[in-house]
């Protein structure tokens, strides 16, 4: 599954960069965060609850920040498992200046889902994943502007 | 295929059920269990508390009151399918119930259960939306009426608060010169629909379309009303050209999912085809 | 009905053979009184659950079972480490380099398909075992999966088995007749690319095992529902390195198999290891998702076909390159890629055939010998080819088929590969099936229906069900394979009280062997089927067996009954000897009737119980030299020859049942959905022992074929390798509502190669794959649509229609 989007943030690029390069800030935007560990500045472990309606599962994720090119480009690679399923996530973020002093964030995400959810949840998976990923980025925007 | 462990609670009144819902987080009402138990066995859903309301008396009924049909939440699909009141006054609901799963499922599954489960591919929610039905929700602080258009919010998500239960389901007594049809495209009888359409058409004394209510199932996160199709019908004599032209608008505003039985593009095309067929069938059923 | 000509004298009266009596098994099975593996309870027994891979292809970096072990109720957990301690890899029957392929009963180092077992847990309750599976942490390193046979052959494709070094595990070319000459003389060459999809058996009862290891005696008892367990004994014995006399295998009632249950030896071993490690008996009952995901699908095949034809539709020769996607492990493969050799020219009489056969591993579930194993793919390919020959030449497909069929007077007919078709009248069968659907009437109406925009089409096909396999054909894969021919063992005795008991232990799973054996034996002894008791189930310590034993390859009516008849005659002879002594008559003057042995034409008789009493407890009155007791054993051997390894020819099966199917379908041009308007079958399985049971098999096979043609497909995600048809919500097992009424009629062409003229009928050949594809193509012929896939769900047909309409504009 591939998702992508672009949105503008009313904050300067450096501020956006500083914010998103801290695992704690990113983790706050994960759905229903249960637990967070940050063993290294570029790595964090998060336990989240995700799903649709009451169909929810607990996933243990390990995220790594890669290819950090301050303050323009970053990649976040995540690998999670739970509910008889696995999620492998690759996201990339590109930041650019806007004429009004704001920042444009272009993001891409590729998710590969395996196991139970992939095999029985086809009908819901894409919609649900799209929503989760969009919520994540919308939350980042909100936190930066708020 | 055995659920994770859970606590089993069996209230003797709906009020008590509401109290339990309020008291326990991650609790879930068990009615017919035809979707819930399957999901629990797959371990895709794991409520910590199961509140079994099936032994509460008086929750299965069908009554006519004014221009409404009142249906108890535990009324089974089989009862809905075969109720003379529903068959005569709101036949589309009976038709939708008859298309659910198989007889064993219809013997157990309940009307409030399928509405609360809010699967956009299920038969009754799509029909309920076309009917502009209502749900009476009961919570700690009393009751409220939720309209069908507000009830379905997302996949498996309704407007009910976590501590509310459905006390009653209401659908209208359909006016004279009304024809209805619920049809679905499925590979096997009883499957979840690839596309489902509920159509309710009312004509005036000159046989001009007075009102049209068309809803589509399995083309988005909730059942959806095909508003543009409805608008293209109302005020017109429903010639086949009008029906065909209107049906071409059925893919407006939908966001169908893809699975191995139908891609999003295919579902969009089938939405048009089945809208056309449902309207034709509904029209053909309007009595003199 | 064609004349029921019996080819040879039957030595006993035929009162019960041929009679449609109700099956003896039915009352117990349909009232819930059958006894299956899941009904077995052993004191102190544990329950197992398996943890399966969510990835289609990944390295296993670490398995941590510590949290699961701490869960109260968990007794033992087995992972790759334990399996390596207990087991050697399974032997492979392929030539190098694929003979190096490593296969165990659990994933070792890598997972190779989504759903492969990674760990097994035994606990005091199944629910606890499932909870424990969730606590096992497996760290995977995902690898790109290879999900397509053609992709798998590309040089840069990921390797499913690094130890083999290639995904091509078997390749062989078979050349019969003079193919080049046939193509040189052709008026036209027709080329096609075809794809035969994955579907399976989906039996009512999934795989099940109870393993009980007795430390005291060192005996491992495996209760299971494997349909060919004594063939598997070799694999289990070799892999466990355990003396086979210490392995006892028991099968109770079995709820369907369709070939899928041949592969359960991996589970038999895995649960046995769990039982040995736990020191307690362990039961494992597979759930439906596991059953669908774990393989046991049919061979998926892609064909590149060329047919050399004359203008009049005569087929001169066929060349086909076949790519069999066999999934992640070989298990029973590459036999499925070879078995076309049993039906090399199908029902047709062309002499020139070149098959370029390739078996390829991918990251899908391993395939199994599913109903119609290896032949259906080939027969379907031939059928599609012949129909396209007709259409491209502007001829009627039915006429072209009739023209090319083997003629009844040519029987027994030797096909290009040496497979000898024993008997039959293919043209008559097809015509009869067409009459049953009112073919002429539909053809007359068809142009008008097309004008009205109704896409109605007619299809007809005839497939053979080759039965009683010659194991020597496997030597065409691996010449040193120490397996050949076919055999069955039956034991029969009359007890001291004159009751007749038969132990044939054939692992039936719906074929009603108890009934048909009773019928055959009843005729030999002049009693009724109710007077014959057939020991249900199988126990390797009780029943005689050979490595060929089991229920598979459409053969019980030939091999099983061959053994039963042999034993019955032996027992009858002994009874006659004793009775002759008692009646002071010659054995040849005796007849068996109503539980007695009588001197023909007189009322001088002795009852069975009197003979039996003399044979056992009154044995001092036995004639001189007669051994006491009335118990015999007989081993039947199939009259086969070894293959000609140079010419690559072999008579690979003994009998050829066949079914001709004709149908009328209507395609909804707006949705692509196919509706069957009429369906007829003409079946010929030689002499039916019980026509009622044959009818059931015919219905079952037809339903199986309709299901495969229109409903059932194991769809995998190309991208992630996930199985997307993993429950009955998506793997569309049809119900009675989807299957039309099926008209059935029969012909009887006795096999000249079997004693009763019987032929195997169990698999029945899934002809709807051919007839429905043809009917859809016929319905859409105004649009020129060509059906190239064996599975045709609505969206696929819808897209073909739209594309054809676009082209026409």
């Amino acid at each position: 599954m591939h998702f992508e989007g672009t949105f503008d943030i009313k904050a300067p690029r450096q501020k956006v960069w500083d914010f998103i390069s801290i695992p704690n800030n990113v983790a706050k935007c994960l759905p229903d965060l249960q637990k967070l560990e940050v063993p290294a500045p570029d790595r964090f472990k998060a336990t989240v609850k995700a799903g649709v309606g009451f169909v929810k599962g607990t996933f243990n994720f390990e995220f790594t920040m890669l290819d950090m090119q301050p303050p323009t480009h970053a990649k976040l690679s995540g690998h999670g498992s739970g509910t008889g399923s696995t999620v492998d996530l690759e996201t990339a973020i590109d930041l650019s200046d806007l004429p009004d002093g704001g920042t444009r964030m272009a993001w891409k995400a590729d998710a590969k889902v395996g196991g139970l959810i992939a095999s029985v949840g086809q009908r819901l998976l894409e919609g649900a994943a799209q929503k989760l990923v969009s919520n994540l980025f919308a939350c980042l925007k909100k936190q930066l502007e708020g | 295929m055995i659920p994770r462990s859970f606590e089993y609670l069996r209230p003797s009144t709906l009020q008590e059920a509401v109290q339990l819902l309020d008291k326990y987080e991650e609790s879930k009402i068990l009615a017919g269990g035809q979707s819930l138990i399957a999901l629990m066995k797959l371990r895709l859903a794991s409520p910590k508390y199961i509140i079994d309301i099936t032994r509460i008396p008086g929750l299965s009924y069908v009554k006519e009151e004014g221009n409404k049909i009142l249906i108890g939440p535990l009324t089974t699909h089989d009862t809905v399918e075969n109720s003379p009141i529903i068959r005569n006054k709101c036949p589309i609901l009976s038709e939708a119930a008859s298309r659910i799963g198989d007889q064993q499922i219809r013997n157990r599954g309940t009307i409030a259960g399928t509405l609360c489960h809010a699967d956009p591919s299920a038969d009754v929610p799509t029909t309920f939306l076309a009917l502009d039905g209502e749900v009476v929700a009961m919570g700690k602080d009393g009751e409220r009426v939720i309209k069908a258009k507000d009830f379905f919010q997302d996949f498996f998500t309704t407007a009910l608060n976590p501590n509310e239960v459905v006390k009653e389901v209401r659908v209208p007594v359909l006016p004279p010169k009304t024809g209805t049809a619920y049809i679905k495209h499925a590979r096997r009888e009883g499957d979840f629909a690839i596309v489902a359409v509920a159509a309710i058409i009312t004509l005036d004394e000159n046989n001009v379309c007075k009102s049209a209510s068309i809803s589509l199932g399995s083309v988005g996160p909730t059942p959806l009303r095909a508003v543009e199709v409805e608008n293209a019908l109302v005020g017109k004599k429903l010639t086949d050209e009008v029906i065909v032209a209107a049906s071409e608008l059925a893919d407006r505003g939908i966001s169908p999912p893809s699975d191995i039985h139908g891609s999003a593009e295919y579902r969009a095309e089938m939405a048009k085809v089945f809208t056309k067929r449902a309207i034709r069938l509904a029209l053909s059923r309007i009595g003199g | 009905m064609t004349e029921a000509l019996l080819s040879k004298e039957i030595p006993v009266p035929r009162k019960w053979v041929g009679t449609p009596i109700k099956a003896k098994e039915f009352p117990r099975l349909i009232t819930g009184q059958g006894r299956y593996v899941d009904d077995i309870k052993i004191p102190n027994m544990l329950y197992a659950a398996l943890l399966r891979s969510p990835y289609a292809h990944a390295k296993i970096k670490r398995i941590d079972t510590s949290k699961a072990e701490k869960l109260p109720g968990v007794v033992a957990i087995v992972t790759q480490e334990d399996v390596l301690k207990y087991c050697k890899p399974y032997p492979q029957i392929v030539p190098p380099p694929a003979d190096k392929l490593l296969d165990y009963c659990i994933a070792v180092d890598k997972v190779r398909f989504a759903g492969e077992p990674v760990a097994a847990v035994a606990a005091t309750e199944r629910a606890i075992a499932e909870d424990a599976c969730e606590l096992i942490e497996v760290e995977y390193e995902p690898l790109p999966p290879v999900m397509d046979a053609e992709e798998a052959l590309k040089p840069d494709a990921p390797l499913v088995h690094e130890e083999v070094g290639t995904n091509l595990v078997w390749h062989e070319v078979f050349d019969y007749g003079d193919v080049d000459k046939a193509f040189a003389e052709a008026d036209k060459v027709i080329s096609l690319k075809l794809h035969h999809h994955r579907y399976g058996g989906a039996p009512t009862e999934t795989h099940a095992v109870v393993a009980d290891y007795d430390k005291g005696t060192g005996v491992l008892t495996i209760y299971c529902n494997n349909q060919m367990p004594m063939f598997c004994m070799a694999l289990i014995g070799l892999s466990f390195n355990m003396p086979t006399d210490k392995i006892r295998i028991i099968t109770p009632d079995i709820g369907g198999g369709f070939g899928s249950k041949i592969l359960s030896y991996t589970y038999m071993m895995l649960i046995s290891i769990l039982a040995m490690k736990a020191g307690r008996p362990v039961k494992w009952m597979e759930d439906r998702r596991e059953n669908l995901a774990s393989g046991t699908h049919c061979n998926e095949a892609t064909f590149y076909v060329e047919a050399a034809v004359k203008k009049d539709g005569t087929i001169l020769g066929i060349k086909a390159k076949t790519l069999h996607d066999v999934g992640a492990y070989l298990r029973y493969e590459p036999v499925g890629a070879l078995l076309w050799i049993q039906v090399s020219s199908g029902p047709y009489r062309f002499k020139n055939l070149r098959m370029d056969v390739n078996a390829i591993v991918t990251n899908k579930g391993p395939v199994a010998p599913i109903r119609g194993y290896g032949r259906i793919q080939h027969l379907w390919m031939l059928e599609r080819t012949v129909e396209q020959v007709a259409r491209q030449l502007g001829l009627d497909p039915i006429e072209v088929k009739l023209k090319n069929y083997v003629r009844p007077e040519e029987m027994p007919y030797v096909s290009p590969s040496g497979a000898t078709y024993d008997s039959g009248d293919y043209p008559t069968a097809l015509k009869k099936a067409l009459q049953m659907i009112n073919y002429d009437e539909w053809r007359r109406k068809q142009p008008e229906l097309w004008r009205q925009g109704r896409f109605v089409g007619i299809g007809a096909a005839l497939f053979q069900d080759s039965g009683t396999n010659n194991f020597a054909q496997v030597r065409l894969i691996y010449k040193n394979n120490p397996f050949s021919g076919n055999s069955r063992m039956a034991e029969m005795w009359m007890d001291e009280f004159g009751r007749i008991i038969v132990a044939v232990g054939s692992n039936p799973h719906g074929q009603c062997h108890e009934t048909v054996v009773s019928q055959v034996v009843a005729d030999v002894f002049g009693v009724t089927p109710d007077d014959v008791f057939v020991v249900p189930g199988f126990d390797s310590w009780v029943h005689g067996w050979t490595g060929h034993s089991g229920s598979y390859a459409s053969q019980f009516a030939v091999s099983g009954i061959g053994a039963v008849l042999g034993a019955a005659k032996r027992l009858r002879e002994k009874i006659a000897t004793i009775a002759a002594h008692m009646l002071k008559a010659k054995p040849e003057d005796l007849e068996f009737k109503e539980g007695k042995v009588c001197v023909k034409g007189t009322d001088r008789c002795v009852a069975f119980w009197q003979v039996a009493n003399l044979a056992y407890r009154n044995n001092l009155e036995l004639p001189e030299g007669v051994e006491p007791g009335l118990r015999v054993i007989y081993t039947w051997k199939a009259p086969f020859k070894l293959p000609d390894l140079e010419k690559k020819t072999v008579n690979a099966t003994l009998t050829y049942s066949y079914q001709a199917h004709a149908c009328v379908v209507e395609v909804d041009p707006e949705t692509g959905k196919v509706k069957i308007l009429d369906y007829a079958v003409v079946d010929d399985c030689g002499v039916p022992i019980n026509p009622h049971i044959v009818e059931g098999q015919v219905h079952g096979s037809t339903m199986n074929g309709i299901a495969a043609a229109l409903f059932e497909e194991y769809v995998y995600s190309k991208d992630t390798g996930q199985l997307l048809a993993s429950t009955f919500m998506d793997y569309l097992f049809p119900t009675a509502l989807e299957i039309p009424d099926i008209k059935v009629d029969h012909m009887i062409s006795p096999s000249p190669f079997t004693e009763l003229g019987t032929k195997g009928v169990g698999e029945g050949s899934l002809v709807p794959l051919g007839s429905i594809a043809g009917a859809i193509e016929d319905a859409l012929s105004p649009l020129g649509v060509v059906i190239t896939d064996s599975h045709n769900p609505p969206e696929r047909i819808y897209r073909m229609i739209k594309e054809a309409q676009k082209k026409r504009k």
Side-chain angles (χ1 to χ4, degrees), chain B residues 167-187:
Chain B
K167 190 190 167 199
E168 189 168 88
V169 175
R170 295 174 181 169
V171 292
V173 170
L174 294 172
K177 284 193 76 97
T178 296
T180 66
Y182 173 76
I183 58 172
K184 67 174 169 180
H185 185 29
R187 291 182 61 189

Side-chain angles (χ1 to χ4, degrees), chain A residues 105-128:
Chain A
M105 181 188 286
W107 61 267
K108 279 191 256 184
D110 281 287
K112 280 194 175 155
V113 181
L116 178 63
I117 292 174
S119 60
V120 303
Q122 295 169 66
R123 213 156 37 91
L124 312 179
L125 189 58
E126 184 131 10

Side-chain angles (χ1 to χ4, degrees), chain B residues 26-100:
Chain B
E26 295 191 53
S27 55
K28 188 80 187 154
I29 296 283
L30 172 70
Q34 297 302 291
S35 299
L36 177 63
I37 300 294
L39 285 164
M40 287 172 65
K41 286 172 79 169
L42 284 167
R43 298 189 170 208
L44 280 170
S46 301
K48 288 199 175 123
Y49 298 89
I50 287 294
I51 302 168
D52 179 359
I53 61 167
T54 56
R55 315 279 177 104
I56 300 175
L59 298 182
S60 171
Y61 56 83
V62 178
K63 312 191 265 220
E64 190 179 347
E65 214 175 273
N67 60 354
K68 282 184 181 163
I69 301 169
L70 315 182
I71 307 171
L74 289 187
T75 309
T76 63
H77 305 314
D78 181 73
T79 305
V80 169
E81 179 188 347
N82 294 302
S83 151
I85 296 175
I86 297 173
R87 286 198 154 189
N88 291 326
K89 307 286 172 79
C90 187
I92 191 172
L93 189 61
S94 171
E95 187 172 24
S98 78
R99 301 297 302 276
I100 297 171

Side-chain angles (χ1 to χ4, degrees), chain A residues 1-139:
Chain A
M1 287 181 290
H2 177 83
F3 309 102
E4 54 183 65
T6 303
F7 56 87
D8 297 342
I9 304 162
K10 292 191 198 93
R13 184 140 68 115
Q14 191 62 43
K15 185 183 164 195
V16 173
W17 177 264
D18 290 345
F19 183 84
I20 62 166
S21 52
I22 295 169
N24 268 307
N25 294 337
V26 177
K28 258 184 234 161
C29 284
L30 294 171
D32 205 352
L33 182 68
Q34 309 280 307
K35 205 171 110 187
L36 180 69
E37 276 175 62
V38 187
D42 61 347
R43 271 194 309 126
F44 61 100
K45 290 182 183 182
T47 301
V48 301
K49 264 191 172 176
V52 280
F54 72 104
V55 179
K56 267 201 174 93
T58 303
F59 293 85
N60 294 309
F61 268 96
E62 218 176 308
F63 286 98
T64 313
M65 292 174 161
L66 301 164
D67 196 15
M68 303 291 272
Q69 299 166 25
T72 46
H73 177 84
K75 274 187 182 164
L76 181 68
S77 153
H79 172 78
S81 63
T83 313
S85 310
T86 55
V87 183
D88 292 291
L89 191 68
E90 301 289 337
T91 60
I93 292 168
D94 283 287
L95 302 178
S96 53
D97 292 326
L98 287 172
D100 64 358
T103 305
R104 171 159 292 178
M105 181 188 286
W107 61 267
K108 279 191 256 184
D110 281 287
K112 280 194 175 155
V113 181
L116 178 63
I117 292 174
S119 60
V120 303
Q122 295 169 66
R123 213 156 37 91
L124 312 179
L125 189 58
E126 184 131 10
Q130 167 103 55
K131 208 158 284 173
L132 284 174
V133 174
S134 320
N135 286 349
L136 176 86
F137 287 101
C139 164

Side-chain angles (χ1 to χ4, degrees), chain C residues 23 167 213 261 290 296 304 346 351 388 448 510 539 591 598 620 655 666 676 701 708 718 741 775 782:
Chain C
N167 292 324
Y213 181 68
K261 281 187 177 139
E290 294 183 282
T296 69
Y304 289 90
K351 294 282 182 196
Q388 271 304 306
E448 176 52 29
D539 181 339
E591 62 177 344
C598 302
L620 293 181
T655 66
E666 180 162 6
I676 298 171
S701 170
K718 286 199 171 61
D741 283 339

